[in-house]
Amino acid sequence: MTHQYPSLSTEQKKELSDIAQRIVAPGKGILAADESTGTMGKRLQKINVENNEENRRTFRDILFSSDPSISNSVGGVIFFHETLYQKSDSGKLFPQVVKDKGIVVGIKVDKGTAGLNGTDGETTTQGLDGLSERCAQYKKDGCDFAKWRSVLKISDGCPSALAIAENANVLARYASICQQNGLVPIVEPEILPDGDHDLQRCQYVTEKVLAAVYKALSDHHVYLEGTLLKPNMVTAGHSCTKKFTPQQVAMATVTALRRTVPASVPGICFLSGGQSEEEASVHLNAINQVPLHRPWKLTFSYGRALQASALAAWQGKAANKKASQDAFCNRAKINGLAAKGEYKPTGSADQSSMQSLYTASYVY
Amino acid sequence: MTHQSPTLSEAQKRELHDTALRIVSPGKGILAADESVGSMAKRLAQVGVENTEENRRQYRQILFSADDRINSCIGGVIFFHETLYQHSDNGVPFVKMIRDRGILVGIKVDKGVVPLAGTCGETTTQGLDGLSERCAQYKKDGAVFAKWRCVLKISDTNPSKLAITENANVLARYSSICQQHGIVPVIEPEILPDGDHDLKRCQYITEKVLAAVYKAMSDHHVYLEGTLLKPNMVTGGHSCSTKYSPEEVAMATVTALRRTVPPAVTGVAFLSGGQSEEEASVHLNAINSCPLAKPWILTFSFGRALQASALRAWRGHKENEKAATEQFIKRAEVNSLACQGKYDNYGDASQRNYGSCHAY
């Protein structure tokens, strides 16, 4: 605690900071295309497509070979390990396809959750073993950022102090190792939306979790300017009987972040959780219109909320490739606007009239 | 950790937030006039004045009788307990004099430092006993904000983990209790400038200390929008052989704060430590001119750096009172400009180089 043993040189810090800034450049967010093999299985099953390596390659190819203009909305793509070494139909490695569009390549590096004994079904995340060597290799193979997902849940007894502290610690270890290898760590402490808790409860838990995350990052000497945060938005639980407006979600979310996320963090890229494509865009847009000072970029890191329509349009058929790409580009464009607070869903009021919805009497 | 047991109502939160905003309104800062009897002894000794209650009263009167020029410079005054119940020569309570010009009244509530056994000369701060009842009374007596000072120091072995966590914890307890009574807590984790450490070391330690402070605030459910921070600026130690420019001090200071102080904190009001009046103002100005984005107000909470000239001009002589008050007003006006980044009357503006942020 008394002496600093510098972890990064000035040049290393600059590199990390520059990468982070490029990913969250104004109007841009992240395409989370890092679904594990198992998760892709669930997605493909919904459109009756077999979960084999070629089908997984084909679908990612559809996304990555979209019109180069998607780089106006997409600053980074998160890859799954398998995908990093696959090629497009034209024979080019996927990282190169993405980089050629000026988009930064990222890689999921965690190895899934593991049970925490003595808790009510809570988990930590594994993947630290040999992580340094893996990061060095991924950097050589074209990656400039990484992602690691920790999971917490809300219930009567959760999240427990152990779950919060353990996940915060493991996220900080991961972040520290990434930075040593020139990779910007995306820190993802997801609090699941499962449950019947209300908005206030989610906000409270989110504040506690994020406070612990940033204390752990400080303890582990992580360079915040070279990180990104991927949190949940603050929403009520899925089975909560009360419904909350986008403005309420936005205020609760931004308030929680203002109380916990230091200004030196360049960007916050929300996960979409169980939200529909439109819901995720509308919420992101509302977040970017909140009349509170927001010192970080607030953008997206969406998986399903960017791909659902594309997947549905594809149906596993080559003939649907263009329709699928159009659907994807459309969502990318909408989320790019939402990341600037400029998304106007047809039939919605203009910004000034939306503002009045924020001046609620409720003090978050 | 799972369920929130609400600490403050919406109305209470709003009151605290509004108070904090008023104290640090643009162009305003805090006059720290809360020197204990012991500290006043040191100040008065320097100008050959005996440390009596009457002399202390006369001296504070010099500051509080400043004219309306200070209304746009001073958002709050921190009182010492004794002073809160003193009056002017005309029998007007000091509290009334201050409140009548729209300046908020604050009160120092800690009871000084005590040693932490097993450490190398480190301390914590006492004053929690009965604090709730004291706060309730101070609120009735006109105070709307409070101050509590913790002290840490830099050396080969310090600050220790215990000193950091213990002081962070006690600051959070104090804050929590204040807020229950509608009193905005000014949180002061002072890292002393004593020593030969360099700027980088001070920055590193400031970051560690502030990270611990805000984790403790979160653990104690403190409403950040209704608090103010009173930290040290990040500087080289007093005996450090390297001299740093105001721009370097500014970059190191703002970087440290950006990494640790949540944007929800309404304002940061720096202590002046051992800095001279001019040094403190020049640093504050550089901090406000620094090109990094700053989501909180950055202003002053100065004691000596607002009063040194006034004290010297007074020297205990009634006939010097007006001149002494003028000196105070002058510093208040300079710092009002500095906290807006408008104090440019020093050096050559074109020479100011803030350098690369990645070096910090």
Side-chain angles (χ1 to χ4, degrees):
Chain A
M1 206 63 93
T2 53
H3 288 269
Q4 179 177 22
Y5 300 95
S7 34
L8 299 164
S9 68
T10 302
E11 291 70 35
Q12 284 175 303
K13 285 189 200 171
K14 181 171 194 311
E15 186 196 14
L16 290 167
S17 174
D18 286 350
I19 291 169
Q21 294 287 341
R22 277 165 51 211
I23 296 170
V24 297
K28 299 192 189 187
I30 298 171
L31 163 63
D34 61 320
E35 296 85 355
S36 62
T37 306
T39 303
M40 267 321 277
K42 290 191 235 170
R43 307 274 178 268
L44 295 175
Q45 189 186 42
K46 285 219 175 102
I47 54 168
N48 289 315
V49 173
E50 193 190 334
N51 185 23
N52 56 46
E53 199 186 327
E54 177 56 18
N55 283 342
R56 294 192 294 274
R57 186 203 69 79
T58 302
F59 182 62
R60 268 68 179 260
D61 192 26
I62 287 172
L63 300 176
F64 302 159
S65 317
S66 292
D67 189 271
S69 64
I70 56 155
S71 63
N72 293 335
S73 319
V74 179
V77 173
I78 317 178
F79 279 66
F80 179 61
H81 178 92
E82 172 191 78
T83 321
L84 201 68
Y85 303 102
Q86 290 179 324
K87 297 179 178 160
S88 67
D89 287 345
S90 57
K92 201 188 273 187
L93 279 167
F94 277 150
Q96 198 56 52
V97 173
V98 167
K99 278 183 137 169
D100 284 350
K101 291 181 159 73
I103 300 173
V104 186
V105 170
I107 175 73
K108 184 230 292 288
V109 298
D110 72 77
K111 295 190 169 185
T113 57
L116 282 173
N117 300 325
T119 67
D120 183 18
E122 295 179 294
T123 63
T124 179
T125 296
Q126 50 188 5
L128 291 179
D129 298 353
L131 181 58
S132 188
E133 291 75 13
R134 293 174 59 217
C135 284
Q137 188 60 50
Y138 285 137
K139 182 81 177 179
K140 286 204 192 101
D141 295 340
C143 301
D144 285 313
F145 72 98
K147 188 209 97 180
W148 174 294
R149 178 172 175 260
S150 270
V151 184
L152 294 132
K153 61 179 190 177
I154 298 178
S155 73
D156 268 346
C158 301
S160 66
L162 172 63
I164 294 178
E166 165 59 23
N167 281 288
N169 189 62
V170 92
L171 279 165
R173 278 294 298 130
Y174 141 78
S176 169
I177 292 169
C178 280
Q179 292 194 326
Q180 288 301 303
N181 291 286
L183 295 178
V184 166
I186 295 189
V187 172
E188 181 178 356
E190 172 169 13
I191 301 162
L192 295 175
D194 305 29
D196 61 3
H197 54 273
D198 62 11
L199 186 71
Q200 217 171 329
R201 180 100 191 275
C202 180
Q203 182 185 335
Y204 174 77
V205 172
T206 302
E207 288 176 13
K208 294 305 180 197
V209 167
L210 291 178
V213 166
Y214 283 97
K215 181 57 165 63
L217 291 173
S218 168
D219 291 344
H220 286 259
H221 316 302
V222 175
Y223 176 60
L224 294 186
E225 291 87 334
T227 66
L228 293 170
L229 179 69
K230 179 167 171 169
N232 50 285
M233 294 181 187
V234 173
T235 61
H238 277 160
S239 355
C240 180
T241 44
K242 194 164 171 216
K243 293 298 156 216
F244 297 90
T245 64
Q247 286 68 37
Q248 288 173 309
V249 165
M251 281 296 282
T253 302
V254 175
T255 299
L257 298 171
R258 276 170 51 80
R259 289 176 181 167
T260 54
V261 184
S264 54
V265 173
I268 298 176
C269 317
F270 296 98
L271 58 95
S272 44
Q275 300 181 44
S276 69
E277 289 174 324
E278 188 61 9
E279 216 179 348
S281 301
V282 166
H283 280 154
L284 179 63
N285 192 56
I287 281 168
N288 277 286
Q289 294 183 341
V290 166
L292 294 171
H293 181 61
R294 303 164 249 114
W296 351 254
K297 295 284 189 353
L298 290 160
T299 182
F300 58 92
S301 176
Y302 291 168
R304 275 169 288 179
L306 270 172
Q307 301 176 53
S309 295
L311 203 55
W314 178 46
Q315 294 293 320
K317 303 193 170 81
N320 296 340
K321 180 172 174 178
K322 174 127 197 345
S324 182
Q325 288 181 326
D326 286 347
F328 168 58
C329 289
N330 186 42
R331 285 327 302 177
K333 195 159 171 221
I334 286 172
N335 285 308
L337 289 172
K340 293 189 277 189
E342 292 171 7
Y343 175 45
K344 291 184 185 52
T346 44
S348 74
D350 62 49
Q351 184 166 337
S352 53
S353 59
M354 292 304 245
Q355 285 296 305
S356 66
L357 295 171
Y358 289 101
T359 48
S361 56
Y362 184 67
V363 174
Y364 292 79
Chain B
M1 206 62 97
T2 54
H3 287 267
Q4 178 175 21
S5 300
T7 38
L8 298 165
S9 68
E10 279 183 54
Q12 284 176 303
K13 286 186 193 172
R14 207 173 281 121
E15 184 193 18
L16 289 166
H17 190 204
D18 286 348
T19 299
L21 283 167
R22 279 166 60 205
I23 296 169
V24 297
S25 324
K28 298 189 190 184
I30 299 171
L31 162 64
D34 62 319
E35 295 85 355
S36 62
V37 173
S39 289
M40 274 314 286
K42 293 188 234 167
R43 307 276 176 270
L44 296 175
Q46 277 175 336
V47 290
V49 174
E50 197 191 339
N51 187 24
T52 63
E53 197 187 328
E54 176 56 16
N55 283 343
R56 292 191 294 273
R57 186 194 70 78
Q58 295 220 3
Y59 175 63
R60 266 66 181 258
Q61 185 174 247
I62 287 170
L63 303 174
F64 301 161
S65 30
D67 61 36
D68 287 347
R69 280 175 286 166
I70 62 157
N71 295 3
S72 56
C73 307
I74 304 289
V77 174
I78 316 177
F79 280 66
F80 179 63
H81 179 90
E82 171 191 80
T83 321
L84 202 67
Y85 303 103
Q86 289 179 327
H87 308 76
S88 68
D89 291 344
N90 300 335
V92 181
F94 282 155
V95 167
K96 186 174 194 310
M97 281 172 77
I98 292 297
R99 287 175 79 179
D100 281 352
R101 44 225 333 211
I103 301 175
L104 300 186
V105 169
I107 175 72
K108 184 230 289 289
V109 297
D110 72 77
K111 295 188 170 186
V113 299
V114 290
L116 284 171
T119 67
C120 185
E122 294 179 295
T123 62
T124 179
T125 296
Q126 56 184 5
L128 292 179
D129 298 353
L131 181 58
S132 186
E133 291 75 17
R134 292 174 59 218
C135 280
Q137 188 60 50
Y138 284 137
K139 187 84 195 293
K140 286 202 192 102
D141 296 341
V144 293
F145 73 99
K147 188 210 95 179
W148 175 294
R149 177 173 175 260
C150 275
V151 184
L152 295 132
K153 59 182 191 175
I154 301 177
S155 74
D156 270 348
T157 54
N158 294 343
S160 67
K161 186 154 188 274
L162 172 64
I164 293 178
T165 50
E166 166 59 24
N167 282 288
N169 190 62
V170 92
L171 279 165
R173 277 294 298 132
Y174 140 78
S175 300
S176 170
I177 293 169
C178 282
Q179 292 194 327
Q180 289 300 306
H181 297 280
I183 290 184
V184 168
V186 173
I187 295 158
E188 180 177 357
E190 173 169 12
I191 300 161
L192 297 175
D194 305 36
D196 61 3
H197 54 273
D198 62 10
L199 186 72
K200 252 199 169 64
R201 182 104 189 275
C202 180
Q203 181 187 335
Y204 173 76
I205 292 194
T206 302
E207 289 176 14
K208 294 304 180 196
V209 168
L210 292 179
V213 166
Y214 285 99
K215 181 57 165 63
M217 293 298 151
S218 169
D219 291 344
H220 286 261
H221 318 302
V222 174
Y223 174 61
L224 294 186
E225 291 87 336
T227 66
L228 295 170
L229 179 68
K230 178 168 171 167
N232 50 284
M233 296 180 189
V234 174
T235 63
H238 275 160
S239 351
C240 179
S241 44
T242 311
K243 291 302 155 214
Y244 298 95
S245 66
E247 290 71 40
E248 287 173 303
V249 166
M251 286 294 282
T253 302
V254 175
T255 299
L257 298 174
R258 277 169 53 82
R259 289 177 181 165
T260 54
V261 183
V265 171
T266 297
V268 175
F270 295 99
L271 59 93
S272 43
Q275 299 182 44
S276 70
E277 289 171 325
E278 186 63 7
E279 214 179 351
S281 302
V282 165
H283 281 155
L284 181 61
N285 187 67
I287 282 168
N288 276 283
S289 309
C290 155
L292 297 171
K294 314 166 218 64
W296 349 253
I297 296 199
L298 292 162
T299 183
F300 57 92
S301 175
F302 291 167
R304 275 168 289 180
L306 271 170
Q307 301 176 50
S309 295
L311 196 57
R312 271 196 308 270
W314 178 49
R315 304 201 75 83
H317 300 305
K318 208 139 183 73
E319 60 273 23
N320 294 340
E321 275 174 3
K322 269 201 122 57
T325 305
E326 268 310 301
Q327 290 295 317
F328 165 58
I329 295 173
K330 201 170 103 179
R331 284 330 297 178
E333 288 179 324
V334 163
N335 285 307
S336 174
L337 290 173
C339 76
Q340 299 175 85
K342 293 180 181 167
Y343 182 49
D344 275 329
N345 302 351
Y346 68 97
D348 178 1
S350 67
Q351 295 296 312
R352 306 218 188 110
N353 175 24
Y354 284 93
S356 159
C357 57
H358 305 292
Y360 290 91

